Amino acid sequence: MKFKIKILTTSLLVASSLMLTNCSLDIKNPNGPTDAQILTTRDGLITLSVGLRQNYSTLGISSLILTPGTTTREIKGITTFTNIIEIEAGGTALPTFNGNVLGVWSRMYRVIGMADDIIASAPTALASDAAMKSGVVAHANLFKAMALGGLATSFEKMPLQTDKLGQAVYSDRTEALKLAVKLLDEAVAMISATAPSAEFRTKVTGADFDLINSIQAYRARYNMMLGNFDAAIAAANAVDLSKKSSFVYSSQSQNPIYTATQISKDYAPRDNFGLPSTLVESDDKRLAFYLSTPDVVVGGEKLKKLVGFFDAVDRAIPVYLPDEMRLIRAEANLRKATPDLVSALADINAVRTQASGDVFGVNAGLGAYSGSPTKDALLVEVYKQRCVELFMTGMRLEDSRRFGRPAPPTSLVERTRNFYPYPDQERLTNPNTPTDPTI
């Protein structure tokens, strides 16, 4: 029995990720450049910007998809590693020393720390190159916002900044989302005032990562989570749904979900996306897009093979999916003080009936909505479409809470936790750590 902690990366990558809010556990390479050389030079900041995105797209995404995905029953932990067994069980038994929970926490703060270094240093190091500076800072703002959003999805409270003295002050998750929106608003203003240079696009983002559309997509997402409905609709409208934005991988920098599900085989997706039968339609083409055979039965449950964006070591993962924007608009129009049911239904049907044309190939191919045209019924339909369209994006835990789905401790059918406890490593070093949520 392999009763030990596994965070699904190599030991060197784990070591590089373990910078919490209160202390740095980074291991210095005596042959590498110093912090001063990285943060005070043009080439150093460009390299750090690339490293920021790579860190998020490997270590960060691994934690943000696999841990909440297990909690919301999208995937099942099928290994004997203790930390995965604990996440799979969930409930009140989830210990504060769980390695997966620590992974979400530490990896997001690693991203925040890297982004903060870039944001603080770029105005000086790139003072003579405004077009590179605007791109680098907007890019760092985006990833800091994404990390804050990832923390807010998993924890009730969190520090908004890192603090190496061990005295980080906690804020409610709502404040983290507000800061994320502020950072994204600033990023839009920056690149609107000074367009990033072609060199920035070549050296930092590359051809596959669309900075402005990614910023607008996350503005839409976090404004929706905050209940800023008009702002969410405006940001969603600003996203060009014909454009892709992707995290790319290779044999050296591997798709982390492929590694976890098909190489180490620690997780497998549940049948029907892990949803109750009332939330899945058998003729939905997205079933075959994301899930494949052969089926296996583990613990009495039928599990599938994960495909879609996770079936090869070098398969790209979308930064966001275009139809999320339609579903954000639909939800926002339904939740406004004066609901716009007509507009909401139009966006719902645009997602349901799309048989081809999605830039990532995620097409439902269903008939138009035929249920009750009431606000409450349409909100259930939005949730249903989000669960399927955004399968394995790390969004279902937040969605499950926001849509008031069956919750623990009364029900463990759709999610086994509401929020995670704070890691022991954080509590041991920061006296400001709040009381853990019961479940």
Side-chain angles (χ1 to χ4, degrees), residues 71 73 89-92 406-417 439:
T71 296
R73 303 180 64 78
T92 57
T410 303
S411 172
L412 302 179
V413 172
E414 294 190 33
R415 67 178 190 259
T416 62
R417 290 283 305 192
I439 194 164

Side-chain angles (χ1 to χ4, degrees), residues 17 21 39 52 75 96 98 119 136 161 171 189 193 207 212 220 225 232 244 247 253 257 332 348 367 378 410 416 419:
S17 75
T21 58
L39 298 175
L52 169 64
I75 52 176
T96 55
N98 179 267
I119 292 166
V136 163
Q161 305 291 342
S171 298
I212 183 58
M225 290 163 64
K244 282 185 177 184
F247 295 119
S253 179
I257 311 305
I348 289 169
L378 289 172
T410 303
T416 62
F419 291 99

Side-chain angles (χ1 to χ4, degrees), residues 90-154:
T92 57
L94 181 65
T96 55
F97 54 79
N98 179 267
N100 281 45
V101 172
L102 173 62
V104 175
W105 184 267
S106 63
R107 291 173 181 180
M108 291 305 99
Y109 279 110
R110 176 59 171 166
V111 169
I112 290 170
M114 294 173 73
D116 281 342
D117 284 342
I118 293 169
I119 292 166
S121 302
T124 300
L126 300 175
S128 62
D129 189 346
M132 178 63 76
K133 180 177 69 175
S134 70
V136 163
V137 176
H139 181 264
N141 272 29
L142 169 62
F143 280 93
K144 181 174 180 179
M146 293 163 77
L148 286 166
L151 288 165
T153 296
S154 297

Side-chain angles (χ1 to χ4, degrees), residues 6 10 20 27 54 114 120 145 171 203 212 308 361 391 396 430:
K6 185 178 183 186
T10 67
L20 306 187
I27 299 173
Q54 184 177 27
M114 294 173 73
S171 298
K203 292 185 175 180
I212 183 58
F391 178 64
R396 193 181 293 182
N430 186 358

Side-chain angles (χ1 to χ4, degrees), residues 38-99:
I38 292 171
L39 298 175
T40 61
T41 67
R42 186 176 189 275
D43 287 347
L45 279 181
I46 289 172
T47 300
L48 184 58
S49 296
V50 174
L52 169 64
R53 189 173 66 258
Q54 184 177 27
N55 184 281
Y56 183 91
S57 68
T58 51
L59 292 169
I61 279 181
S62 174
S63 285
L64 290 180
I65 291 178
L66 295 173
T67 298
T70 306
T71 296
T72 54
R73 303 180 64 78
E74 292 175 278
I75 52 176
K76 181 178 177 66
I78 55 173
T79 182
T80 56
F81 287 105
T82 307
N83 53 312
I84 296 175
I85 292 172
E86 291 164 350
I87 289 291
E88 171 64 28
T92 57
L94 181 65
T96 55
F97 54 79
N98 179 267

Side-chain angles (χ1 to χ4, degrees), residues 154-363:
S154 297
F155 299 95
E156 286 183 310
K157 297 181 179 181
M158 67 278 316
L160 302 184
Q161 305 291 342
T162 59
D163 183 352
K164 294 181 180 180
L165 298 178
Q167 302 295 318
V169 177
Y170 278 69
S171 298
D172 186 82
R173 61 188 295 270
T174 299
E175 296 306 311
L177 291 170
K178 288 180 180 177
L179 177 56
V181 168
K182 179 176 181 290
L183 289 163
L184 296 170
D185 289 347
E186 290 173 355
V188 171
M190 265 182 270
I191 59 181
S192 297
T194 305
S197 62
E199 184 188 16
F200 166 79
R201 292 190 292 274
T202 299
K203 292 185 175 180
V204 178
T205 60
D208 297 287
F209 189 91
D210 188 317
L211 180 60
I212 183 58
N213 279 303
S214 297
I215 291 169
Q216 295 288 15
Y218 278 80
R219 286 181 74 222
R221 179 183 292 183
Y222 296 146
N223 272 302
M224 184 67 249
M225 290 163 64
L226 283 167
N228 299 333
F229 305 129
D230 289 336
I233 291 170
N237 285 337
V239 178
D240 185 341
L241 303 187
S242 70
K243 300 288 181 65
K244 282 185 177 184
S245 187
S246 302
F247 295 119
V248 296
Y249 302 94
S250 66
S251 58
Q252 287 74 43
S253 179
Q254 299 182 353
N255 181 310
I257 311 305
Y258 173 83
T259 301
T261 58
Q262 301 191 46
I263 295 180
S264 58
K265 299 185 184 300
D266 293 312
Y267 303 87
R270 288 180 157 94
D271 193 27
N272 284 334
F273 307 112
L275 291 168
S277 60
T278 54
L279 295 180
V280 183
E281 297 176 50
S282 60
D283 56 345
D284 193 323
K285 291 183 178 179
R286 292 168 296 186
L287 281 161
F289 180 86
Y290 283 116
L291 304 174
S292 182
T293 55
D295 299 340
V296 295
V297 177
V298 177
E301 292 186 70
K302 185 164 75 171
L303 306 179
K304 311 292 282 189
K305 180 182 178 182
L306 186 62
V307 286
F309 305 114
F310 315 109
D311 62 348
V313 72
D314 59 350
R315 183 75 67 209
I317 296 177
V319 179
Y320 63 90
L321 285 164
D323 275 345
E324 182 186 356
M325 301 305 108
R326 293 187 173 103
L327 294 170
I328 285 172
R329 286 197 306 247
E331 182 183 351
N333 275 314
L334 290 169
R335 293 191 189 276
K336 290 195 300 185
T338 303
D340 183 348
L341 274 63
V342 173
S343 294
L345 184 57
D347 273 320
I348 289 169
N349 279 332
V351 175
R352 286 185 57 91
T353 63
Q354 183 171 252
S356 63
D358 182 84
V359 292
F360 286 106
V362 187
N363 300 294

